Amino acid sequence: MRHTSRRILCLALALAFSPAGTVRAQELRAPRIPQAAGDGAAGCAEAKSAFTALPARPSASLASVNFDVTYYHLDLAPDLDLGTVGGTVRVEGDVVGSALSALSLDLAASMTVTGVALGDGTPLVYSHPGAVLNITLPAPVAPGGSVTVDITYGGTPVVNGFGNFVFGKRVNASADTMIVAWSLSEPYGAREWWPCKDHPSDKADSVRVTVTVPSQYRVGSQGILESETPALGGMTTYDWVSRYPISSYLVSVAIGDYVRYQGTYTRPDSLVTRFGPLSLPLDHLVYNDTNSDLPNGWANVTDNMEVLEDWFGPYPFPNEKYGHAEFTFGGGMEHQTMSSMGGSSPGLVSHELAHQWYGDSISPRQWRHLWLNEGFATYAEYIYWAAREPDFPGTAAAVLASRYWTALRAPGTLVLADTTSVNNMFDGTRVYAKGSVVLHMLRYVVGDTAFRDILAAWADDPAVRYGVGETDDFIRVAETVSGLDLATFFRQWVTDGTGYPSYAFSSYWQKEGADYRVWATVAQTQKLPQSNVAVFEMPLEIAVHTAVDSLDVRLRVANDRQNQVFDFTVPARPKSVTLDPDKWILRADVDTVSVSQVPSYPTILALAPNPARNAVTLQYTVDQGGGVFMNVYDVRGRRVLARPSTSTGTGVRLETLDTSRLASGVYFLRLDTPHGQTTQKFVVLR
């Protein structure tokens, strides 16, 4: 989805207390990301969204749950002129849970199966109804046994979702028309071009991809290029092998008239002391057209790698490589060890590289937890820009502000309730923008050091590394590392909560000896129905600006109720107060307010909600000691409610009045004190 800069109205704050003495109000605008930076998240999400307007695919895997894949070998001979793909795929795996009599794999109806055999060549009976390939085994295989089958097939892949397997054309440097082909199987597209278990939770231990193409073309894929061998008829066979666990959606093929650039990432000394030495091969494939130079962003991947290793830990596939293969898709795709790229901005490079840790090494157990891929990769862009601030001044702040602005429009919960709609899954406002913002807020809650430790511990957690994980796994790691109970944070921002808070506040001061006592009243309400969280419980920073700049004060308070008064002292006369001055919290804009002196008589500052139903909250001030009695009268002058204030002392007070027994109508609240009285009208509706 294209994240364009759009002008929208400033969000209205329908809050219990209106800010007193507004100093400034600003219109909400989409922050501009510097053009040179590029937007990796938008590049990743935008082109995917364009494809998802095409016909949808089934989302559920129909493959056997009691079959654990251990190895795939795709031996393919695509016909680039006809736009077909096919060959033989070997599938090996272990039987788990219960005996296996028939093996079911995912394979689209557009593919035609011409034969299935055991690994020893014994033909097998099969059927291919719809998108499932059913293979009857000669005899049931008990749990602990293994099965190997070879499937011969072919056909024209259906282009839907993000493409699956796409054929296209480009004009090369010699002005000749060249054919390009590439795969992009996320989330359900692997079945569209090869038989497999098309679900991220079942990782093969290793994969081999062998592709034979006309000799003017090259083939890129994951792992190590074991051989590049001439074949009959002017063909060449490329044999790629990866020995790391891999989900089916990350198995890739990129074919084109490529110029190959090779290099090495040499781990810098500062990281060698932590992780040991590494000389990692870099392998880039660029289309041989009018501009076949290695893109600057790709060449800069060594710098990206240094920053991300510093944060996330060692690159997870050190025995193979990292690289890029150009394709005609408009964004990027994090294919394992060789990302497919339709762009070259440093932001996109950082995004897809970060996926090698978060998405490839750790894949989602279910697609509901897609934010663990995209939120982390999107935040990695900010990490890179912040680490290189002197080279890209202002970019990190602009990128972060853009994410916050975009996340305000995120629908639903961050953990996806619906994974049948690819548009819904890859909504850029949610798993990308809000996912990264949630990580930034987690950083605020736990602190910088603990946050860095959490990211590295998650990448290295033995329960998920080279496997699959879900949100509960990440919560476990975050709580273990930080030592904090983060259940509420994740419940309100990730698993159950929707929307974001709106804050309003007012502030008053009173001279007390050499200091000034300040009361800051914070009211929190949410935009309905977008938010289902009554109170977002977050630490809240309050910045007090005083008449002496050097004596400004910042403090952090626990905001865990809809209406709260925070009471503190400052060493100089306060002028204004700002909530969340660094905008750590995903929230509606909130103004800085001026600080007023406490009035010299009982004053009702706010009575809300008005109209009321079951209760009203009263905010008032007193400047002298003594009790306060609250009386409520109807329009006939009859007292219908009376009780003393439970608050004591001078300054700002909060009280809640139970109005549940009052009939609909107009009422008057009168505060009686030894030093005077004041009255406020309100309405009750039933």
Side-chain angles (χ1 to χ4, degrees):
M1 177 180 295
R2 184 173 297 278
H3 297 172
T4 56
S5 238
R6 291 189 303 156
R7 181 174 179 171
I8 67 174
L9 293 177
C10 184
L11 295 177
L13 301 179
L15 297 170
F17 303 127
S18 299
T22 299
V23 173
R24 62 171 176 79
Q26 66 181 42
E27 190 176 64
L28 188 63
R29 298 173 182 265
R32 179 180 176 275
I33 296 177
Q35 185 174 3
D39 189 339
C44 187
E46 175 183 320
K48 289 179 179 178
S49 297
F51 269 92
T52 55
L54 296 168
R57 294 159 292 176
S59 60
S61 170
L62 301 174
S64 299
V65 296
N66 55 335
F67 179 72
D68 177 24
V69 175
T70 57
Y71 174 71
Y72 292 118
H73 179 194
L74 289 68
D75 190 353
L76 306 177
D79 190 314
L80 302 183
D81 294 318
L82 295 178
T84 61
V85 64
T88 300
V89 172
R90 169 163 286 196
V91 182
E92 297 181 5
D94 298 326
V95 178
V96 294
S98 60
L100 186 70
S101 300
L103 172 62
S104 296
L105 298 172
D106 298 306
L107 183 64
S110 59
M111 294 290 108
T112 300
V113 177
T114 56
V116 179
L118 289 175
D120 62 7
T122 302
L124 297 175
V125 175
Y126 63 91
S127 63
H128 186 201
V132 58
L133 172 61
N134 297 312
I135 303 168
T136 302
L137 301 177
V141 179
S146 61
V147 174
T148 299
V149 295
D150 293 320
I151 302 151
T152 304
Y153 76 107
T156 303
V158 173
V159 176
N160 59 21
F162 299 153
N164 311 320
F165 200 99
V166 175
F167 294 88
K169 293 182 179 180
R170 287 175 71 97
V171 176
N172 67 12
S174 301
D176 296 326
T177 299
M178 68 174 181
I179 297 174
V180 300
W182 48 264
S183 66
L184 198 169
S185 300
E186 189 183 28
Y188 309 120
R191 69 190 76 178
E192 298 288 345
W193 60 279
W194 64 287
C196 60
K197 285 192 72 173
D198 196 10
H199 194 280
S201 63
D202 193 355
K203 286 190 167 185
D205 297 334
S206 59
V207 63
R208 181 179 180 184
V209 174
T210 305
V211 184
T212 300
V213 294
S215 295
Q216 67 265 38
Y217 296 98
R218 298 196 65 87
V219 177
S221 190
Q222 60 282 318
I224 297 295
L225 181 60
E226 297 280 352
S227 62
E228 180 181 338
T229 308
L232 296 176
M235 309 292 278
T236 300
T237 299
Y238 291 85
D239 196 24
W240 290 89
V241 177
S242 177
R243 294 175 175 84
Y244 287 97
I246 186 170
S247 293
S248 56
Y249 81 95
L250 294 169
V251 174
S252 70
V253 172
I255 302 169
D257 180 4
Y258 284 122
V259 177
R260 187 183 190 191
Y261 292 88
Q262 294 178 279
T264 303
Y265 164 68
T266 302
R267 183 173 286 156
D269 292 343
S270 60
L271 297 178
V272 169
T273 58
R274 294 162 58 189
F275 309 134
L278 175 66
S279 293
L280 180 73
L282 301 174
D283 203 340
H284 308 291
L285 300 178
V286 181
Y287 286 138
N288 181 24
D289 53 22
T290 55
N291 182 17
S292 59
D293 294 337
L294 181 65
N296 288 335
W298 296 15
N300 192 56
V301 74
T302 54
D303 190 54
N304 294 81
M305 185 78 75
E306 179 180 342
V307 171
L308 298 193
E309 279 205 318
D310 180 43
W311 270 80
F312 306 152
Y315 176 69
F317 308 109
N319 296 327
E320 294 186 351
K321 70 169 188 312
Y322 186 64
H324 305 102
E326 190 173 7
F327 69 163
T328 56
F329 186 73
M333 176 62 204
E334 62 273 15
H335 290 131
Q336 196 157 302
T337 74
M338 180 173 267
S339 294
S340 298
M341 304 286 280
S344 60
S345 70
L348 184 62
V349 170
S350 290
H351 185 101
E352 305 305 339
L353 175 59
H355 272 309
Q356 302 303 308
W357 285 267
Y358 308 119
D360 294 8
S361 174
I362 305 171
S363 302
R365 183 174 285 111
Q366 297 175 317
W367 285 116
R368 298 181 64 233
H369 305 281
L370 181 60
W371 83 279
L372 293 173
N373 290 21
E374 301 301 349
F376 280 65
T378 302
Y379 195 69
E381 299 172 46
Y382 169 73
I383 286 174
Y384 177 73
W385 298 122
R388 296 295 182 255
E389 175 67 22
D391 298 322
F392 305 98
T395 299
V399 166
L400 187 63
S402 175
R403 300 291 179 252
Y404 269 76
W405 183 85
T406 304
L408 291 173
R409 295 175 286 134
T413 57
L414 193 49
V415 171
L416 302 173
D418 176 16
T419 58
T420 62
S421 166
V422 179
N423 271 321
N424 175 65
M425 292 171 63
F426 289 88
D427 183 339
T429 67
R430 180 155 47 171
V431 294
Y432 292 85
K434 186 175 181 180
S436 65
V437 166
V438 164
L439 289 174
H440 195 63
M441 288 193 291
L442 178 64
R443 181 177 184 172
Y444 165 62
V445 169
V446 304
D448 279 354
T449 300
F451 179 71
R452 290 184 68 129
D453 291 344
I454 286 169
L455 294 187
W458 173 240
D460 194 45
D461 184 59
V464 297
R465 191 169 191 243
Y466 300 124
V468 295
E470 59 187 38
T471 301
D472 281 348
D473 294 309
F474 180 64
I475 295 173
R476 168 182 52 80
V477 171
E479 290 187 328
T480 300
V481 172
S482 68
L484 300 175
D485 181 351
L486 298 170
T488 298
F489 175 86
F490 282 98
R491 183 171 60 252
Q492 64 192 10
W493 292 111
V494 178
T495 60
D496 301 325
T498 60
Y500 52 86
S502 295
Y503 299 98
F505 67 108
S506 57
S507 187
Y508 293 85
W509 64 267
Q510 182 173 280
K511 189 78 165 63
E512 291 194 353
D515 294 324
Y516 292 80
R517 190 174 178 186
V518 178
W519 292 267
T521 302
V522 178
Q524 185 186 148
T525 61
Q526 278 45 278
K527 181 180 178 182
L528 299 176
Q530 184 177 13
S531 179
N532 61 4
V533 180
V535 180
F536 284 89
E537 299 180 26
M538 291 288 288
L540 185 62
E541 282 195 353
I542 299 177
V544 182
H545 314 285
T546 72
V548 181
D549 290 344
S550 61
L551 297 180
D552 286 357
V553 173
R554 277 202 185 197
L555 65 152
R556 180 183 271 204
V557 297
N559 181 211
D560 55 8
R561 283 173 284 164
Q562 285 186 326
N563 301 301
Q564 285 177 278
V565 176
F566 300 102
D567 181 355
F568 48 91
T569 59
V570 297
R573 186 177 66 79
K575 295 170 58 179
S576 62
V577 177
T578 305
L579 293 188
D580 186 27
D582 298 322
K583 200 168 183 181
W584 283 98
I585 301 172
L586 180 65
R587 55 169 172 79
D589 276 352
V590 58
D591 295 324
T592 295
V593 300
S594 59
V595 188
S596 303
Q597 188 171 4
V598 173
S600 59
Y601 49 83
T603 303
I604 296 176
L605 302 174
L607 188 64
N610 189 5
R613 291 188 183 275
N614 296 320
V616 292
T617 299
L618 165 68
Q619 180 190 21
Y620 67 98
T621 68
V622 290
D623 68 334
Q624 298 182 54
V628 177
F629 207 88
M630 299 179 291
N631 298 287
V632 177
Y633 299 89
D634 64 15
V635 291
R636 298 174 61 184
R638 296 177 301 183
R639 189 167 65 174
V640 294
L641 190 155
R643 73 168 177 82
S645 169
T646 59
S647 302
T648 60
T650 61
V652 179
R653 299 182 181 182
L654 278 183
E655 292 284 348
T656 300
L657 291 174
D658 182 0
T659 58
S660 61
R661 296 186 179 183
L662 299 183
S664 294
V666 176
Y667 295 89
F668 298 89
L669 169 67
R670 192 178 77 190
L671 297 185
D672 291 306
T673 78
H675 312 287
Q677 61 181 216
T678 185
T679 303
Q680 176 79 38
K681 183 174 74 172
F682 69 100
V683 176
V684 173
L685 290 181
R686 292 283 166 237

